[in-house]
Amino acid sequence: MHWAHSHLLTISDLTADDIHTVFELADRFAEMADRPVKKAPTLKGKSVLLFFAEPSTRTKTSFDMAAKRLSADTFSLAQTGSSLQKGENLKDTALTLQAMYPDVLVIRHSLSGAAHYLSQILTCKIINAGDGWHAHPTQALLDGFTLHQIWSGFAGKTLLLLGDIAHSRVARSDVELFHKLGVHIRVCAPRTLLPRGIDNWPVQVFTDPVPACAGVDAIQCLRLQLERQAAGLLPSVREYAQFYGLRSSHLDLAQPGVKVLHPGPVNRGIEIQSSLADAANSLILSQVSAGVAVRMALLYLFLTQSQKE
Ligand code: CP
């Protein structure tokens, strides 16, 4: 199995073949979830450091579980309770962590480019678990894997990303990943929540969810960061929910069997009608399960196959 990467910073680091390699391995690791003993000795003796300087439920827990299922040791550092609160800077914190010899550092940080910066100054492997608005590559991989488990292929499929595109690292990474897989991508948001330069993205742009939903195979709703209203980007959250919140009438316009995704955490009743989050065609919890399998695959690749670039 070929894995020529030392770090995972963005999806642009990966080829389509790399992405399929992750999916094939994740298929095998996903089967472990049904076993009475969900543990293999594959990464015994390896250490995974989870450095989350921003809140996380799904990403942090699933990396932790993925590492433990493969018998790696995990260590966690959060902003709260660490010396970051005493004013220690990112570089000194990172060098301090490296001095404890982790094999891989998984980092989430509010600063776009934080993972890339650490990859320049540390010698251990770095996996980006979300940096600012820039990238969330493991989320995109798990989104792709979730649909890979359901669809027989990606060719001819259309995916809609609905919501706050401008401030979403998930949107940026999903666009890169699904474009590499040959999926036709649409994005839909109010003009104020579309990023500058969107015309250069490989996507079809909509500001009205009604035509945007017509004929799509899957819809990924994106979390509305509620502080956007305070920033004057929305007239009101209620109005946003009424116009851009996914509702059943939107799904009636899509392909029969359309799949609904959301990376979480979900603001029920804002970006998605609450009942749709729990409906049979919702893949939201499948995405969480996929996250464990995909992160097992990544840890396996980085800790057993990866060489220095
Ligand atoms: N999707 C995602 O990154 O969720 P968490 O913030 O809970 O990790």
Side-chain angles (χ1 to χ4, degrees), residues 55-60 108 136 139 263-265:
S56 168
T57 296
R58 281 147 279 266
T59 312
K60 186 175 175 196
R108 169 168 291 188
H136 196 347
Q139 178 69 44

Side-chain angles (χ1 to χ4, degrees), residues 9-10 90 107 109-120 128 130-135:
L9 307 178
T10 73
L90 176 61
I107 177 169
H109 202 280
S110 58
L111 188 70
S112 294
H116 180 262
Y117 172 64
L118 294 195
S119 75
Q120 303 295 302
N128 184 1
D131 62 326
W133 300 347
H134 173 233

Side-chain angles (χ1 to χ4, degrees), residues 52 54-62 108 129-130 136 138-139 142-143 169-170 223 262-265 295:
F52 277 66
E54 260 196 344
S56 168
T57 296
R58 281 147 279 266
T59 312
K60 186 175 175 196
T61 309
S62 61
R108 169 168 291 188
H136 196 347
T138 66
Q139 178 69 44
L142 77 85
D143 293 337
R169 57 194 175 205
V170 176
R223 186 169 73 90
H262 192 306
R295 289 167 178 135

Side-chain angles (χ1 to χ4, degrees), residues 68 120 125 140 194 207 284 299 301:
K68 287 188 167 108
Q120 303 295 302
K125 298 171 199 315
L194 286 170
T207 53
I284 294 172
L299 291 173
L301 288 166

